Amino acid sequence: DIPPVRLKKVHYVLPRRTCCGCGKTTTAQVPFGQAGAVAYGVNVNAAAILLSSAGNVPVERTAMLMAALLGSAVSSGFVARAHERFAEKLDVAGFDGAMRDALAAEEVLHADETPVNVARNDTDEHGQPAEGSPHVVILRTPQARLSWYRALPARTKKALHALGLLNTDKRPGGFTGYLVRDDYSAWHQFDGTLAGVQQCIAHIFRHLQGVIDLDPVIQAWAGKTRDVLREAHAAVEDAASAGSDRLDPALLAKLRARYDKHVTQGKRTNRLRDWPKGNHPGYALACRLEAKAEQVWLFTTVFSVPWTNNPAEQALKSPKLHQKVSGYWHTLATLARFCTVRSYLTSALNHGLTAIDAIEHALTGNPWMPPH
């Protein structure tokens, strides 16, 4: 059990001294707030931050829960300001920069993005609402040790490049390892500076299933392609369990030959097949699987690279759940604060800290920082 939660009131007596030289009067400071006003301490601030961020509780509801828990009412404005102050503390400490540097040193990262609701878009140079739909992007290590959420004004190549982690040139300090992602075209700009790209096989399976659903008999090639990739993954798992870091070359060659055969069959089957708009989905998918074969099969040659992008997709459930409960963010700035706080709490928890401890460290000027 835990001790009963009780609100403790502390009355500070603040010394005031006047300089005998210049005559300036200086008053001591309280840990939070300003002299002469009621100020809430570290734990009350931490409770507000934890409920509204990790708990996905709306601001007004957070104030109600804290009043019920503490027996002392707090305002919704205090809850919102507590979250804002916390994000400001992390910004001053350079948390986002430290996270960017730590991720750049990793061997493998997952990346994904999702649209979110923002009530008021940013404005352009003419004062008009900026074009594009706001998104949250996640860059995460495979074991979820580090999770970096960032707010994007739009899902564009320019916005992704502005993150500063992935480069289109060889300048130092950017991520140059293996990236696991879907095939959204805005990510393609970084391929030339990466060690390799792994296409998310879970995404590919969904596309293959969509083609199979059109006609299970005619589109049987899609099911056979999926079976080959599953066999390849099982072979990688068996080899890794046996202590090996590579597949038997003969086995890998046989699997790739079967994959190439089925993909070629998909192209031939659907090349001239009618479709209301553009190419038949089976033909488009087969062409993509042929052109991106090296990105599809990277996991069979580099065992440290996962074959799906599930860690990134799972991480994006957090902003989606928050949006489901709260409805939207007021501005891109409030969305950015949410992303900073979620990045900090998620990563700190996965390094052994409790949420309350991680918040208290930041509020008292000693935030947890990602190890480089």
Side-chain angles (χ1 to χ4, degrees), residues 28-96:
Q29 297 296 313
V30 293
F32 288 90
Q34 61 185 14
V38 175
Y40 293 104
V42 175
N43 292 321
V44 177
N45 276 266
I49 294 164
L50 193 58
L51 283 170
S52 62
S53 177
N56 300 307
V57 182
V59 171
E60 293 82 0
R61 187 66 178 168
T62 296
M64 293 173 59
L65 287 173
M66 292 186 65
L69 179 67
L70 304 176
S72 179
V74 298
S75 67
S76 57
F78 160 74
V79 175
R81 182 58 182 148
H83 195 273
E84 183 178 356
R85 274 196 302 265
F86 184 54
E88 290 171 353
K89 291 274 188 180
L90 295 176
D91 287 340
V92 171
F95 171 75
D96 276 324

Coordinates of all heavy atoms in Angstrom, one line a residue, residues 28-96:
A28 N 14.5 36.7 -1.2 CA 14.7 35.3 -1.5 C 13.5 34.8 -2.3 O 12.4 35.3 -2.3 CB 14.8 34.5 -0.2
Q29 N 13.8 33.7 -3.1 CA 12.8 33.1 -4.0 C 12.3 31.8 -3.4 O 13.1 31.0 -2.8 CB 13.4 32.9 -5.4 CG 13.9 34.2 -6.1 CD 12.7 35.1 -6.4 OE1 11.6 34.6 -6.9 NE2 12.8 36.4 -6.0
V30 N 11.0 31.5 -3.7 CA 10.5 30.2 -3.4 C 10.8 29.3 -4.5 O 11.1 29.7 -5.6 CB 8.9 30.3 -3.2 CG1 8.6 31.1 -1.9 CG2 8.3 30.9 -4.4
P31 N 10.7 27.9 -4.3 CA 11.1 27.0 -5.3 C 10.2 27.1 -6.6 O 10.7 27.0 -7.7 CB 10.9 25.6 -4.7 CG 11.1 25.9 -3.2 CD 10.5 27.3 -3.0
F32 N 8.9 27.4 -6.4 CA 8.0 27.6 -7.6 C 7.2 28.8 -7.4 O 6.9 29.2 -6.2 CB 7.1 26.4 -7.7 CG 7.8 25.1 -8.2 CD1 8.4 24.2 -7.3 CD2 7.9 24.9 -9.5 CE1 9.0 23.1 -7.7 CE2 8.6 23.7 -10.0 CZ 9.1 22.8 -9.1
G33 N 6.9 29.5 -8.5 CA 6.0 30.6 -8.4 C 6.8 31.9 -8.0 O 8.0 32.0 -8.1
Q34 N 6.1 32.8 -7.4 CA 6.7 34.1 -7.0 C 6.4 34.4 -5.6 O 5.4 33.9 -5.0 CB 6.2 35.2 -8.0 CG 4.7 35.4 -7.9 CD 4.2 36.5 -8.9 OE1 4.9 36.8 -9.8 NE2 3.0 36.9 -8.7
A35 N 7.2 35.3 -5.0 CA 7.0 35.6 -3.6 C 5.7 36.3 -3.4 O 5.3 37.2 -4.2 CB 8.2 36.6 -3.2
G36 N 5.0 36.0 -2.4 CA 3.7 36.6 -2.0 C 2.5 36.0 -2.7 O 1.4 36.4 -2.5
A37 N 2.7 34.9 -3.4 CA 1.6 34.2 -4.1 C 1.6 32.7 -3.7 O 2.6 32.2 -3.2 CB 1.8 34.3 -5.6
V38 N 0.5 32.1 -3.8 CA 0.4 30.6 -3.6 C 1.1 29.9 -4.8 O 0.8 30.2 -5.9 CB -1.1 30.2 -3.5 CG1 -1.1 28.7 -3.4 CG2 -1.7 30.8 -2.3
A39 N 2.0 29.0 -4.5 CA 2.7 28.2 -5.5 C 2.6 26.8 -5.2 O 2.7 26.3 -4.0 CB 4.2 28.7 -5.5
Y40 N 2.3 26.0 -6.2 CA 2.3 24.5 -6.1 C 3.6 23.9 -6.3 O 4.4 24.3 -7.1 CB 1.3 23.9 -7.1 CG -0.2 24.3 -6.8 CD1 -0.8 25.3 -7.6 CD2 -0.9 23.8 -5.8 CE1 -2.1 25.7 -7.4 CE2 -2.2 24.1 -5.6 CZ -2.8 25.1 -6.3 OH -4.1 25.5 -6.1
G41 N 3.9 22.9 -5.4 CA 5.3 22.3 -5.4 C 5.5 21.3 -6.5 O 4.6 21.1 -7.4
V42 N 6.6 20.6 -6.4 CA 7.0 19.6 -7.5 C 6.0 18.5 -7.7 O 5.6 18.2 -8.8 CB 8.4 19.0 -7.1 CG1 8.8 18.0 -8.1 CG2 9.4 20.1 -7.1
N43 N 5.5 17.9 -6.6 CA 4.7 16.7 -6.7 C 3.3 17.1 -7.3 O 2.7 16.3 -8.0 CB 4.5 16.0 -5.4 CG 5.8 15.4 -4.9 OD1 6.6 14.8 -5.8 ND2 6.1 15.5 -3.6
V44 N 2.8 18.3 -6.9 CA 1.5 18.7 -7.5 C 1.6 19.0 -8.9 O 0.8 18.6 -9.8 CB 0.9 19.9 -6.7 CG1 -0.4 20.4 -7.3 CG2 0.7 19.6 -5.2
N45 N 2.7 19.6 -9.3 CA 3.0 19.9 -10.7 C 3.1 18.5 -11.5 O 2.6 18.4 -12.6 CB 4.2 20.7 -10.9 CG 4.0 22.2 -10.8 OD1 3.7 22.9 -11.8 ND2 4.0 22.7 -9.6
A46 N 3.9 17.6 -10.9 CA 4.1 16.3 -11.5 C 2.8 15.5 -11.7 O 2.6 14.9 -12.8 CB 5.0 15.5 -10.7
A47 N 1.9 15.6 -10.8 CA 0.6 15.0 -10.9 C -0.2 15.5 -12.1 O -0.8 14.8 -12.9 CB -0.2 15.1 -9.6
A48 N -0.2 16.9 -12.2 CA -0.9 17.5 -13.3 C -0.3 17.1 -14.6 O -1.1 16.9 -15.6 CB -0.9 19.0 -13.1
I49 N 1.0 17.1 -14.7 CA 1.7 16.8 -16.0 C 1.4 15.3 -16.4 O 1.1 15.0 -17.5 CB 3.2 17.0 -15.8 CG1 3.4 18.5 -15.7 CG2 3.9 16.5 -17.0 CD1 4.8 18.8 -15.1
L50 N 1.5 14.4 -15.4 CA 1.3 13.0 -15.7 C -0.1 12.7 -16.1 O -0.3 11.9 -17.0 CB 1.7 12.2 -14.4 CG 1.9 10.7 -14.6 CD1 2.9 10.4 -15.6 CD2 2.2 10.1 -13.2
L51 N -1.1 13.3 -15.4 CA -2.5 13.0 -15.8 C -2.8 13.6 -17.2 O -3.4 12.9 -18.0 CB -3.4 13.6 -14.8 CG -3.6 12.9 -13.4 CD1 -4.4 13.8 -12.5 CD2 -4.3 11.6 -13.6
S52 N -2.4 14.8 -17.5 CA -2.7 15.4 -18.7 C -1.9 14.9 -19.9 O -2.3 14.9 -21.1 CB -2.6 16.9 -18.6 OG -1.2 17.3 -18.4
S53 N -0.7 14.3 -19.7 CA 0.2 13.9 -20.7 C 0.1 12.4 -20.9 O -0.6 11.8 -21.8 CB 1.6 14.3 -20.5 OG 2.4 13.8 -21.5
A54 N 0.7 11.6 -20.0 CA 0.6 10.2 -20.0 C -0.8 9.6 -19.9 O -1.1 8.6 -20.4 CB 1.6 9.6 -19.0
G55 N -1.6 10.3 -19.0 CA -2.9 9.8 -18.8 C -3.9 10.2 -19.8 O -5.1 9.7 -19.9
N56 N -3.5 11.1 -20.7 CA -4.4 11.6 -21.8 C -5.7 12.2 -21.3 O -6.8 12.1 -21.9 CB -4.7 10.4 -22.8 CG -3.5 9.9 -23.5 OD1 -2.7 10.6 -24.0 ND2 -3.3 8.6 -23.4
V57 N -5.7 12.8 -20.1 CA -6.9 13.3 -19.5 C -7.0 14.8 -19.9 O -6.0 15.6 -19.8 CB -6.8 13.2 -18.0 CG1 -8.1 13.8 -17.3 CG2 -6.6 11.8 -17.5
P58 N -8.1 15.3 -20.4 CA -8.3 16.7 -20.7 C -8.0 17.6 -19.5 O -8.1 17.2 -18.4 CB -9.7 16.8 -21.2 CG -10.1 15.4 -21.6 CD -9.3 14.5 -20.7
V59 N -7.6 18.8 -19.8 CA -7.2 19.8 -18.8 C -8.2 20.0 -17.7 O -7.9 19.9 -16.5 CB -6.9 21.1 -19.5 CG1 -6.6 22.2 -18.4 CG2 -5.6 21.0 -20.4
E60 N -9.5 20.2 -18.1 CA -10.5 20.4 -17.1 C -10.8 19.2 -16.2 O -10.9 19.3 -15.0 CB -11.9 20.8 -17.8 CG -11.8 22.2 -18.5 CD -11.2 22.1 -19.9 OE1 -10.8 20.9 -20.3 OE2 -11.1 23.1 -20.6
R61 N -10.7 18.0 -16.9 CA -10.9 16.8 -16.1 C -9.8 16.6 -15.2 O -9.9 16.1 -14.1 CB -11.1 15.6 -17.1 CG -11.5 14.3 -16.4 CD -12.9 14.4 -15.8 NE -13.3 13.1 -15.2 CZ -14.3 13.0 -14.5 NH1 -15.1 14.0 -14.2 NH2 -14.6 11.8 -14.0
T62 N -8.5 16.9 -15.6 CA -7.4 16.8 -14.7 C -7.5 17.6 -13.5 O -7.2 17.1 -12.4 CB -6.1 17.2 -15.5 OG1 -5.9 16.3 -16.6 CG2 -4.9 17.2 -14.6
A63 N -8.0 18.8 -13.6 CA -8.2 19.7 -12.5 C -9.2 19.1 -11.5 O -9.1 19.1 -10.3 CB -8.7 21.1 -12.9
M64 N -10.3 18.5 -12.1 CA -11.3 17.9 -11.2 C -10.8 16.7 -10.5 O -11.0 16.5 -9.3 CB -12.5 17.4 -12.1 CG -13.3 18.6 -12.7 SD -14.6 18.0 -13.9 CE -15.5 16.9 -12.8
L65 N -10.0 15.8 -11.1 CA -9.4 14.7 -10.5 C -8.4 15.1 -9.4 O -8.4 14.5 -8.3 CB -8.7 13.8 -11.5 CG -9.6 13.0 -12.5 CD1 -8.7 12.3 -13.6 CD2 -10.4 12.0 -11.7
M66 N -7.6 16.1 -9.6 CA -6.7 16.6 -8.6 C -7.4 17.1 -7.4 O -6.9 16.9 -6.3 CB -5.7 17.6 -9.2 CG -4.8 17.0 -10.3 SD -3.5 18.2 -10.9 CE -2.6 18.5 -9.4
A67 N -8.5 17.8 -7.6 CA -9.3 18.3 -6.5 C -9.8 17.2 -5.7 O -9.8 17.2 -4.4 CB -10.4 19.2 -7.0
A68 N -10.3 16.1 -6.4 CA -10.8 14.9 -5.6 C -9.7 14.2 -4.9 O -9.8 13.7 -3.8 CB -11.5 14.0 -6.6
L69 N -8.5 14.2 -5.5 CA -7.4 13.4 -5.0 C -6.7 14.2 -3.8 O -6.4 13.6 -2.8 CB -6.3 13.1 -6.0 CG -5.0 12.4 -5.6 CD1 -5.4 11.0 -5.2 CD2 -4.0 12.4 -6.8
L70 N -6.5 15.5 -4.0 CA -5.8 16.3 -3.0 C -6.7 17.0 -2.0 O -6.2 17.4 -0.9 CB -4.9 17.3 -3.7 CG -4.0 16.8 -4.8 CD1 -3.3 18.0 -5.5 CD2 -2.9 15.9 -4.2
G71 N -7.9 17.1 -2.3 CA -8.8 17.8 -1.4 C -8.6 19.3 -1.5 O -9.0 20.1 -0.6
S72 N -7.9 19.8 -2.5 CA -7.7 21.2 -2.7 C -7.8 21.5 -4.2 O -7.1 20.9 -5.0 CB -6.3 21.6 -2.2 OG -6.0 23.0 -2.4
A73 N -8.7 22.4 -4.5 CA -9.0 22.7 -5.9 C -7.8 23.3 -6.6 O -7.1 24.2 -6.0 CB -10.2 23.5 -6.0
V74 N -7.5 22.9 -7.9 CA -6.6 23.6 -8.7 C -7.4 24.0 -10.0 O -8.4 23.4 -10.3 CB -5.4 22.7 -9.1 CG1 -4.6 22.3 -7.9 CG2 -5.9 21.5 -9.9
S75 N -6.9 25.0 -10.7 CA -7.6 25.5 -11.8 C -7.1 24.8 -13.1 O -6.0 24.2 -13.1 CB -7.4 27.0 -12.0 OG -6.0 27.3 -12.3
S76 N -7.9 24.8 -14.1 CA -7.5 24.2 -15.4 C -6.4 25.0 -16.0 O -5.5 24.5 -16.7 CB -8.7 24.2 -16.4 OG -9.2 25.5 -16.5
G77 N -6.3 26.3 -15.7 CA -5.2 27.1 -16.1 C -3.9 26.7 -15.5 O -2.8 26.7 -16.2
F78 N -3.9 26.3 -14.2 CA -2.7 25.8 -13.6 C -2.2 24.5 -14.3 O -1.0 24.3 -14.5 CB -2.9 25.5 -12.1 CG -1.9 24.5 -11.5 CD1 -0.6 24.9 -11.3 CD2 -2.3 23.2 -11.3 CE1 0.3 24.1 -10.8 CE2 -1.4 22.3 -10.8 CZ -0.1 22.7 -10.5
V79 N -3.2 23.6 -14.6 CA -2.8 22.3 -15.3 C -2.2 22.6 -16.6 O -1.1 22.0 -16.9 CB -4.1 21.5 -15.5 CG1 -3.7 20.2 -16.3 CG2 -4.7 21.1 -14.1
A80 N -2.8 23.5 -17.4 CA -2.2 23.8 -18.7 C -0.8 24.5 -18.6 O 0.1 24.2 -19.3 CB -3.1 24.7 -19.5
R81 N -0.7 25.4 -17.6 CA 0.6 26.0 -17.4 C 1.6 25.1 -16.9 O 2.8 25.2 -17.2 CB 0.4 27.2 -16.4 CG 1.6 28.1 -16.2 CD 2.2 28.6 -17.4 NE 3.4 29.4 -17.1 CZ 4.4 29.5 -18.0 NH1 4.4 28.9 -19.2 NH2 5.5 30.2 -17.7
A82 N 1.3 24.1 -16.0 CA 2.2 23.1 -15.5 C 2.8 22.4 -16.7 O 4.1 22.2 -16.7 CB 1.5 22.2 -14.6
H83 N 2.0 22.0 -17.6 CA 2.5 21.2 -18.8 C 3.4 22.1 -19.6 O 4.5 21.7 -20.1 CB 1.3 20.7 -19.6 CG 1.6 19.7 -20.6 ND1 2.0 20.0 -21.9 CD2 1.6 18.3 -20.6 CE1 2.3 18.9 -22.6 NE2 2.0 17.9 -21.8
E84 N 3.0 23.4 -19.8 CA 3.8 24.3 -20.6 C 5.2 24.6 -19.9 O 6.2 24.6 -20.6 CB 3.0 25.6 -20.8 CG 3.7 26.7 -21.6 CD 2.9 27.9 -21.8 OE1 1.7 27.9 -21.3 OE2 3.4 28.9 -22.4
R85 N 5.2 24.8 -18.6 CA 6.4 25.1 -17.9 C 7.4 23.9 -18.0 O 8.6 24.0 -18.1 CB 6.1 25.3 -16.4 CG 5.8 26.7 -16.0 CD 5.9 27.0 -14.5 NE 5.1 26.1 -13.8 CZ 3.8 26.4 -13.4 NH1 3.3 27.6 -13.6 NH2 3.1 25.5 -12.7
F86 N 6.8 22.7 -17.9 CA 7.6 21.5 -18.0 C 8.3 21.4 -19.4 O 9.5 21.1 -19.5 CB 6.7 20.2 -17.8 CG 7.4 18.9 -17.8 CD1 8.5 18.7 -16.9 CD2 7.0 17.9 -18.6 CE1 9.2 17.5 -16.9 CE2 7.7 16.7 -18.5 CZ 8.8 16.5 -17.7
A87 N 7.5 21.6 -20.4 CA 8.1 21.6 -21.8 C 9.2 22.7 -21.9 O 10.2 22.5 -22.6 CB 7.0 21.8 -22.8
E88 N 8.9 23.8 -21.3 CA 9.9 24.9 -21.4 C 11.2 24.5 -20.7 O 12.3 24.8 -21.1 CB 9.4 26.2 -20.8 CG 8.3 26.8 -21.6 CD 7.6 28.0 -20.9 OE1 7.9 28.2 -19.7 OE2 6.8 28.7 -21.5
K89 N 11.1 23.8 -19.5 CA 12.3 23.3 -18.8 C 13.1 22.4 -19.7 O 14.3 22.5 -19.7 CB 11.9 22.6 -17.5 CG 11.3 23.5 -16.5 CD 12.4 24.1 -15.6 CE 11.8 24.8 -14.4 NZ 12.9 25.4 -13.5
L90 N 12.4 21.5 -20.4 CA 13.1 20.6 -21.3 C 13.8 21.3 -22.5 O 14.9 20.9 -22.9 CB 12.1 19.5 -21.8 CG 11.5 18.6 -20.8 CD1 10.5 17.7 -21.4 CD2 12.6 17.8 -20.1
D91 N 13.1 22.3 -23.0 CA 13.7 23.1 -24.1 C 15.0 23.8 -23.6 O 16.0 23.8 -24.3 CB 12.7 24.1 -24.6 CG 11.6 23.5 -25.4 OD1 11.8 22.3 -25.9 OD2 10.5 24.1 -25.6
V92 N 14.9 24.4 -22.4 CA 16.1 25.1 -21.9 C 17.2 24.2 -21.7 O 18.4 24.5 -21.9 CB 15.7 25.9 -20.6 CG1 16.9 26.4 -19.9 CG2 14.7 27.0 -20.9
A93 N 16.9 23.0 -21.2 CA 18.0 22.0 -21.0 C 18.5 21.4 -22.3 O 19.5 20.7 -22.2 CB 17.4 20.9 -20.1
G94 N 17.9 21.6 -23.4 CA 18.4 21.1 -24.7 C 18.0 19.6 -24.9 O 18.8 18.9 -25.5
F95 N 16.9 19.2 -24.4 CA 16.5 17.8 -24.5 C 16.3 17.4 -25.9 O 16.8 16.3 -26.3 CB 15.2 17.6 -23.7 CG 14.6 16.2 -24.0 CD1 15.2 15.1 -23.3 CD2 13.5 16.0 -24.8 CE1 14.7 13.8 -23.6 CE2 13.0 14.8 -25.0 CZ 13.6 13.7 -24.4
D96 N 15.6 18.2 -26.8 CA 15.4 17.7 -28.1 C 16.8 17.6 -28.9 O 16.9 16.6 -29.7 CB 14.5 18.7 -28.9 CG 13.0 18.4 -28.6 OD1 12.7 17.2 -28.5 OD2 12.3 19.4 -28.5

